[in-house]
Amino acid sequence: MPTRQGLPPMHLLLAVAIMAVWGTNFVVIKFALEHLPPLTLALLRFTLAFFPLAFILPRPKVGWANLAAYGVLIGAGQFGILFTAMRADITPGLASLVVQTQVFFTIFLSMRLTGEKVGLYQLVALLLASSGLAVIAFHTDGSATPLGLGLVLLAAFSWSSGNMVARQAAPQNMLAYVVWSSIFAVPPLLLFALLLEGPQAMLAGMEAADAATWAAVLWQSVGNTMFGYAAWGWLLNRHPAGVVAPMALMVPVFGMGASALLLGEPLQSWKLIAFALVMAGLSVGMLWPRIRQGMGK
């Protein structure tokens, strides 16, 4: 049963490790995109996420339609669009920050479904994060184009829609849910890759891929998906979501830090301001209910 206390040291260390994997994964994606077209990369990622674990993990007890919806939204929606944006229209560090706006999309989609009204703190959080996005949009040094920003916001919306689908299913084993839903990401990704990238570009990308590229592809499936989701689900089964979920605020920290260290992405003052505004908005949106609950005790 989930405990109500804060995370014990070893569980906290595991949570930080997950955030490090998810944050630095944006740099890994950029490495893979040096040779592979973005939709081809997404296709390979979700094919390997399904095989061979589907032969080991039993299919979760949820409907096929739910699995299909989650697979399409996360596979073709979130990652297909995100990889496309990261090919040339947004840096890994900024992508890791902007995609976290899925928190707001998830909140407002949930409210739309439940009829709950928007609270003042949520409007403040949205205003702060929107101000950060505006700072990014008004800078034209190549770190993010308007197209790149729009695509990552669309990817974030797809992620939040996938969250709603997964919440409806309430799977007992999140890793099995992710694995079995991955097969439904393959047909749309294959179709769009063939139409938009073409068979020649797909084959040329795979032929040009070196060992580092294939390692990056495997990391998408093994590290980011298998370890990340399995460990995250394990933590959520032992602690309240309100204790575990705020740890996701560390993803952009690792994402921007890794991009600066490994790719040399410059951290100009405007990026730091945008980072502070978006993170402040995310923090208010995720942490204020817990703070208010604590003040009421």
Side-chain angles (χ1 to χ4, degrees), residues 29-183:
I29 292 168
K30 192 65 176 178
F31 284 142
L33 289 173
E34 289 181 3
H35 292 111
L36 293 170
L39 295 173
T40 303
L41 171 59
L43 173 63
L44 291 170
R45 170 193 169 135
F46 284 92
T47 300
L48 293 175
F50 181 75
F51 297 104
L53 275 187
F55 297 105
I56 302 172
L57 296 173
R59 183 176 72 85
K61 296 180 180 179
V62 301
W64 286 108
N66 184 279
L67 282 173
Y70 185 81
V72 171
L73 286 167
I74 298 300
Q78 180 189 350
F79 285 99
I81 295 171
L82 177 65
F83 291 176
T84 300
M86 289 181 62
R87 183 67 183 265
D89 290 287
I90 193 168
T91 60
L94 287 179
S96 71
L97 178 64
V98 176
V99 79
Q100 294 305 317
T101 56
Q102 62 86 17
V103 170
F104 297 106
F105 289 125
T106 299
I107 290 172
F108 288 113
L109 283 174
S110 180
M111 288 180 172
R112 183 66 181 268
L113 293 174
T114 62
E116 180 184 348
K117 294 183 178 180
V118 178
L120 178 60
Y121 79 93
Q122 290 164 326
L123 292 176
V124 171
L126 182 60
L127 179 62
L128 286 168
S130 298
S131 300
L133 296 179
V135 170
I136 297 172
F138 283 118
H139 284 81
T140 56
D141 65 348
S143 294
T145 66
L147 175 62
L149 186 60
L151 285 174
V152 177
L153 287 173
L154 183 58
F157 180 76
S158 295
W159 185 2
S160 65
S161 299
N163 289 341
M164 293 296 98
V165 171
R167 181 178 296 180
Q168 183 182 37
Q172 295 295 315
N173 186 331
M174 190 63 190
L175 177 59
Y177 184 74
V178 170
V179 167
W180 278 86
S181 66
S182 293
I183 193 60

